[in-house]
Amino acid sequence: MRVVLMGPPGAGKGTQAAVVSGKLAVPHISTGDIFRANVSEGTELGRTAKRYMDAGDYVPDEVTNAMVRDRLAAPDASAGFLLDGYPRTTAQVGELDDMLAARGTSLDHVVELTVDVDEVVARLLARAQEQGRSDDDEQVVRRRLELYAEQTAPLTDSYAARGLLVRIDGMGSIDSVTDRILSALGG
Ligand code: ADP
C-alpha cells in the first residue's frame, strides 16, 4: 500500500505514521526525520537543510525531491510505503507522481489529519521543552503553521479531486486516531 500522511506541524503525523506503518508492514518514510538524521551526522545535506529548518522554512524542492527519489528507490519501498511530510508543495506532488509512474505504480490513499490550531501550537511548544527541537520555538512554530496553510493544505484539494483523500479527525487519544486511520485505509 502506498500512502501519504498529511497534516499541520503538531498534528501527530510522526506518532501515527510509526504505528500505522507497522500495522501495514510498510516503511515509514519521514522527510523531517531524514533531514534531522543528516543534521546530526553533519552531512552536506544536513548542513543545507538546517538553515531552512531552523527558520521554519521548507527545504528547497530540488534538495527534498532528490532525497525522496533516492529513498523510494530502496528495495524496502518497492512494495509500499507510508510517506510522512512529503509532498508539501505543488512541485513535490508532481515529482512524486512522476517517480511512481516511472515504476508503473501510483498512490493508493492520502490521509489528512485535521486538528485545532490552538491545540497544535500548545502541543508543539510542549514538545520544544521535552525534546529541545531547535525549530519548535513559538515564532518558528507559527511560521511553519503559516507555510502549511499557504502551501501544503491546498494540495489536499487536488488529491480530493483525484478521489485519493481521506480526512481524519486528529484530535483525541493516540489510539483512537490510529483506529480511525486504519479503518479509513480498510485495515
Ligand atoms: P513538522 O511536520 O512538525 O513541521 P517535520 O519533521 O515533518 O515536522 O519537518 C521538519 C522540517 O523539515 C520542516 O519544517 C522543513 O523545514 C523540513 N521538511 C520536511 N519535509 C519537507 C518537505 N517535503 N519539503 C521541504 N521541507 C521539508
Side-chain angles (χ1 to χ4, degrees), residues 34 36 38 76 79 91-92 102 108 134 137 149 160-161 169 172 182:
I34 302 175
R36 279 185 290 277
N38 277 275
D76 69 328
Q92 292 178 13
D108 296 305
S134 55
D137 85 51
D169 178 5
L182 289 172

Side-chain angles (χ1 to χ4, degrees), residues 15 25 52 82 92 104-105 131 157 183:
T15 306
Y52 297 94
L82 179 58
Q92 292 178 13
T105 64
Q131 300 181 358
D157 293 338
S183 60

Side-chain angles (χ1 to χ4, degrees), residues 8 10 17 21 25 46 50 53 55 74 78 85 95 100 102 116 132 143 152 155 174 182:
S21 65
K50 188 172 178 5
M53 293 169 79
S78 64
E95 279 285 323
L100 298 178
D116 176 85
R143 168 76 187 143
T152 304
L155 308 178
I174 292 176
L182 289 172

Side-chain angles (χ1 to χ4, degrees), residues 9 13 31-32 36 53 57 59 85 88 92 127 133 144:
K13 290 190 301 292
T31 44
R36 279 185 290 277
M53 293 169 79
D57 289 331
V59 177
R88 269 175 150 102
Q92 292 178 13
R127 184 170 78 184
R133 260 179 63 164
R144 281 158 55 212

Side-chain angles (χ1 to χ4, degrees), residues 26-58:
V26 294
H28 168 203
I29 301 179
S30 156
T31 44
D33 286 352
I34 302 175
F35 284 134
R36 279 185 290 277
N38 277 275
V39 171
S40 331
E41 288 157 19
T43 66
E44 194 181 332
L45 173 67
R47 281 193 293 276
T48 305
K50 188 172 178 5
R51 294 205 300 273
Y52 297 94
M53 293 169 79
D54 282 351
D57 289 331
Y58 288 166

